[in-house]
Amino acid sequence: MYSKKLLAILISSSLLLGCNSSDPEPAEEVVVTPPVVTPDTSAVILTDLDTVYGYASENGGTTGGSGENRVEVTVCTGEQMIAALKDKDPNRPLTIWVNGTITLQNAKDTRIDIKDIKDVSIIGLGSQGEMAGIGFNIVRAENIIIRNLRIHHVRANMNAPGDGISIEGPARNIWIDHNEIYNSLTVDDSSLTLDQVKDYYDGLVDAKGDARYITISFNKFHNSWKTSLVGSSDSDNYERTLTYHHNHWYNVNSRLPLFRFGKGHIYNNFYDGAVESGINSRMGAVIRIEQNHFRNMKNPVMSMYSQQIGYWQLIDNIFENITWEPGAAGSVIADNNQSTGELTVPYNYQQSLIPVHQVKETVLRYAGVGKITTPPSPGLCPAPLLEEAEPEEPIVDPVPIDPTEPPSSVDWFSYSADLDPFTQGAVTLADGSLSQFAKQQSGGADEPNLFTANGDGTVTFDSTASGSDRSRAKLDNIMAADGVYPKYFTLLMGLKGNSEGQRIIETEIAFGDTASSASSRLKVVFRGDGNNSGIQLENASNGSSVTLGKGNEPDAIDMSQYRVYHFTIALSSPTTGNVAVYIDGNNTPLGVLEGVTMRPASNPTDNYLQIGDAGNSSYKAEIDWVLWTDAGAYTPDMLKGLLPSGIGNISGYEN
């Protein structure tokens, strides 16, 4: 602003020049530069951390387990938490205070299901609440709050989603607030490849299916390869609505978040370090990206790796020490700081919006655990009882696996799919006696029966109505547990996929042995979902997953058709062996794994065949029959003419 003194001098000088009769000398132009205002980079002092902003404030708001008639429970173990959720009164809100460390061991389960439930808060007391190696699975739930917890090192591929927090729609009004959620970018196993390390853990917070009215705020997200996923695939098309605000993202690789379809609002976050990428808007998603601080990272805003691009609206963000790297043709990056779309959010959040130059210090001060007020702890949880350490299994050289001699006959275990698998007599054992599969349990309750007998010798398995349901049929003691190696196993399945682009079915075989302290399993996911379709062997090859006949490769298989799938397994030890995969009686294998370390079983004595759906995806299959034997690892040519008569369509195995 001009000063009054300077203005007076300028006016008086012009008057004097006007009174002079001679031509005046031109006055020297005076240039006045306004003072530079240094932005305030201090933290904003926040006094209210208990108000829900963002999409979780819509649809009636998110109150969780609060209310005058609420039930409050303090837990020290996962079993106590699972019991509190199972026993919840549907007419009363429930608040669970976490006073210690919840683990796989004290939960006696691989995850905490918040399923078919509403009006629940799970909150850590002080700084003591921790989820070590076990995460939350939120399914068909509404009005759920998770706050003030350290959630970390949740392993993938353990019959659980593998995320710190997994939200599977339909889900409504979820608030994830003031947590610290992390994994590790390294694994203490030098035998693993980089891809295996990346798949060792999964996401920190993921939302899939019809998940809406979600706010994720004041969390610390760090040490993660696959940080936050919104939409599981390019076909997971729902109008998801999520807000991320005041989170601290650091030492991560990508997915900050990866956002498919729907609408997102990302404001006042501090991003510090991302190896590959930041916010990835895909498949038509529109994201309002407002007053965030991005630092020390590559491609903080982009649209890559999908069939369709997504869009963003950029509003007053800071980009500090950023590297921009264009991707493949059709990709878009925000290197010109231009918006590609526009989103107006339906809620009022201005009271929580802080100046962008104060985002860094404010987020560093207030994100994470121990920042909110909770009741005092009633005391430390009792120390867990120490179990005697099991003796380590001696390391021995693998036993050579000799080729199996062709059989003259086979005593098959068989499921002809004339009945649903849980009906007495549905399974014929190798000795001719009858049995049936057993239903699995989830959180202490029987899983639903999603197998339907069609009356024509086939059974339909269908979890498309609710992909979050786990429904599995399990038969124990499917092979000899005598401690003798090598061991052999042959499995054949007559299956028809679906034309809806869904996954088909999961099959898992565990080769446990009472004489060993370790064992293996083979998990096969039959998939029909676009580019990801094929026969997926999860973690079967020294920890890596292998997909055969993949949808985006030259040898892609049409998984929607009826086929006979044939697997042979030969184990040289409890943990190592060979796997071969054949289809339709063709004696040339589709794929072979030789001398690999197999995926470990959950327990050394696990010895079972299991079919169905382990949860969090939609499956649909028509089962014609299932055959298996532990007498040998038999190729298709060895079995011509040896399949039971009248079992169903055995094309490729006739005489």
Side-chain angles (χ1 to χ4, degrees), residues 593-605:
L593 308 177
E594 293 186 330
V596 295
T597 299
M598 304 283 287
R599 179 180 182 176
S602 299
N603 299 290
T605 57

Side-chain angles (χ1 to χ4, degrees), residues 312 314 324 333-339:
W312 54 76
L314 299 176
W324 296 99
I333 57 176
D335 57 334
N336 58 5
N337 200 23
Q338 294 296 309
S339 297

Side-chain angles (χ1 to χ4, degrees), residues 254-499:
S254 60
R255 302 186 179 181
L256 314 179
L258 187 166
F259 206 114
R260 294 184 177 99
F261 301 103
K263 298 178 177 66
H265 187 194
I266 300 175
Y267 72 90
N268 281 171
N269 293 267
F270 178 43
Y271 293 85
D272 191 12
V275 177
E276 289 297 327
S277 60
I279 301 167
N280 191 354
S281 180
R282 295 159 61 167
M283 298 304 297
V286 183
I287 306 176
R288 183 183 179 101
I289 302 171
E290 183 173 9
Q291 293 182 211
N292 302 279
H293 189 153
F294 299 94
R295 186 174 77 168
N296 302 327
M297 58 190 297
K298 183 170 75 174
N299 287 354
V301 181
M302 65 175 199
S303 182
M304 291 188 187
Y305 315 125
S306 269
Q307 301 172 44
Q308 301 173 28
I309 64 169
Y311 307 94
W312 54 76
Q313 181 179 10
L314 299 176
I315 304 172
D316 297 334
N317 299 282
I318 291 177
F319 296 94
E320 176 186 357
N321 192 27
I322 300 300
T323 300
W324 296 99
E325 184 176 297
S331 299
V332 183
I333 57 176
D335 57 334
N336 58 5
N337 200 23
Q338 294 296 309
S339 297
T340 61
E342 185 175 342
L343 175 64
T344 300
V345 294
Y347 47 80
N348 184 357
Y349 63 99
Q350 295 302 318
Q351 189 173 346
S352 72
L353 186 67
I354 63 176
V356 68
H357 288 93
Q358 293 179 278
V359 164
K360 172 187 168 184
E361 293 301 327
T362 305
V363 168
L364 291 176
R365 176 176 292 190
Y366 291 104
V369 300
K371 311 296 184 181
I372 65 173
T373 301
T374 68
S377 167
L380 296 177
C381 293
L385 296 175
L386 297 177
E387 298 180 359
E388 292 186 14
E390 295 184 2
E392 293 187 5
E393 184 177 0
I395 299 174
V396 296
D397 292 331
V399 179
I401 301 176
D402 296 323
T404 303
E405 292 294 325
S408 58
S409 63
V410 179
D411 293 327
W412 291 105
F413 294 78
S414 65
Y415 171 55
S416 65
D418 294 323
L419 306 169
D420 84 44
F422 309 115
T423 301
Q424 175 62 40
V427 175
T428 302
L429 304 181
D431 62 4
S433 61
L434 300 178
S435 185
Q436 72 276 340
F437 287 89
K439 288 182 182 178
Q440 288 299 87
Q441 288 193 322
S442 175
D446 281 344
E447 296 172 357
N449 177 10
L450 302 180
F451 298 84
T452 304
N454 298 318
D456 60 356
T458 66
V459 163
T460 295
F461 178 81
D462 189 352
S463 67
T464 57
S466 178
S468 57
D469 274 329
R470 288 196 282 183
S471 180
R472 297 164 293 167
K474 180 181 180 183
L475 186 72
D476 286 317
N477 304 315
I478 47 95
M479 67 183 303
D482 52 13
V484 177
Y485 289 86
K487 290 185 183 297
Y488 303 103
F489 197 83
T490 300
L491 170 71
L492 288 84
M493 301 182 72
L495 292 176
K496 184 178 180 181
N498 60 77
S499 59

